[in-house]
Amino acid sequence: MRRVKDNALSLTFLALFVLALGGQAVAGTFQYNDEQLASGGEPVSPLEYVTSSSFAVDVAENWQSEYLQFLLFIVLTVWLVQRGSPESKEPGQEGVESDREQLVGTYAKDDSPAWARAKGLRLWLFGNSLGLVMGAVFLGSWLAQSVAGLARFNSDRLADLRDPVSWGGYLASPEFWNRSLQNWQSELLAVLSMVVLSIYLRQRGSPESKPVGAPHAATGVQG
């Protein structure tokens, strides 16, 4: 039970993710079959739907926008600050910081990760591993979106007796960029809202908020 309590936040979000993904699969199956029947097609089973390009492109386009949001926020907060936001470093602390501040190399502690004591490429990889993984997931899910989206796009074109397009042609199409940009703008707005609203608003007890009595100008402090 202690292990569950210590990991309650990640376990809760994992459970919510599974429930939301399952709900999307069920609702998507009903919607897809309704469209199939309306166009004279045959309905499909839930298993057929979740293995289809229609389901894959919807999932992938959401994932890539989420990981783009995290990638940009992780990287940009190294160099950019927002006075008054708990999501920002203090003004004047921009940059990658010194080895002493980052506890790497000779400044690593006894319980520091082993790679924090490394040098050269290993230290660089570990020191940028969060951004690298977020970037890899973003690129992977964006690639998956392009492949699944191409299959769905060409299926719709063939149904309308139009010629299919190549992968490169799909990447240059308004369909692909509309799918991408409509998700990007919502994620970027969410980050902007979090950064700015947390300057003036509070959520007592949350590490994403400043203490209730902290000045609006206080930066980088958490409740």
Side-chain angles (χ1 to χ4, degrees):
M1 291 302 296
R2 178 57 184 271
R3 181 171 294 182
V4 172
K5 184 177 180 181
D6 288 348
N7 296 279
L9 186 60
S10 59
L11 291 174
T12 297
F13 271 98
L14 176 60
L16 291 172
F17 164 73
V18 172
L19 289 173
L21 187 63
Q24 178 186 351
V26 173
T29 301
F30 280 111
Q31 180 182 357
Y32 184 82
N33 284 337
D34 183 63
E35 293 173 352
Q36 283 288 96
L37 293 172
S39 61
E42 293 292 326
V44 300
S45 68
L47 179 59
E48 290 174 316
Y49 175 70
V50 298
T51 56
S52 70
S53 59
S54 294
F55 181 73
V57 69
D58 289 341
V59 171
E61 74 177 53
N62 283 315
W63 287 17
Q64 56 92 1
S65 63
E66 293 291 346
Y67 280 94
L68 174 65
Q69 170 194 172
F70 287 126
L71 172 63
L72 290 177
F73 194 62
I74 290 166
V75 174
L76 291 179
T77 51
V78 175
W79 302 100
L80 305 179
V81 298
Q82 176 60 58
R83 182 180 296 277
S85 176
E87 306 296 329
S88 168
K89 294 189 290 187
E90 286 276 4
Q93 295 182 354
E94 300 89 342
V96 295
E97 302 176 349
S98 66
D99 288 354
R100 180 189 295 274
E101 292 171 314
Q102 287 291 309
L103 303 176
V104 298
T106 58
Y107 301 103
K109 296 184 177 181
D110 292 340
D111 57 352
S112 295
W115 279 35
R117 301 184 184 88
K119 296 180 180 179
L121 181 60
R122 282 204 303 165
L123 180 58
W124 183 88
L125 286 173
F126 185 63
N128 296 278
S129 54
L130 182 59
L132 289 172
V133 170
M134 291 293 181
V137 177
F138 162 66
L139 291 175
S141 55
W142 202 18
L143 176 62
Q145 176 198 336
S146 71
V147 173
L150 173 63
R152 178 174 175 175
F153 187 66
N154 280 337
S155 176
D156 292 340
R157 288 181 66 87
L158 290 171
D160 294 335
L161 303 179
R162 293 186 293 170
D163 292 333
V165 300
S166 66
W167 182 65
Y170 179 66
L171 290 183
S173 70
E175 155 82 9
F176 177 72
W177 286 103
N178 179 53
R179 281 186 170 275
S180 296
L181 293 172
Q182 69 178 327
N183 284 295
W184 292 5
Q185 54 87 13
S186 63
E187 300 302 336
L188 296 174
L189 177 61
V191 173
L192 173 62
S193 300
M194 185 66 179
V195 170
V196 175
L197 292 178
S198 62
I199 298 174
Y200 305 103
L201 306 179
R202 310 286 189 270
Q203 181 58 58
R204 186 168 184 161
S206 174
E208 302 303 317
S209 167
K210 293 184 287 190
V212 176
H216 290 325
T219 307
V221 295
Q222 298 176 325

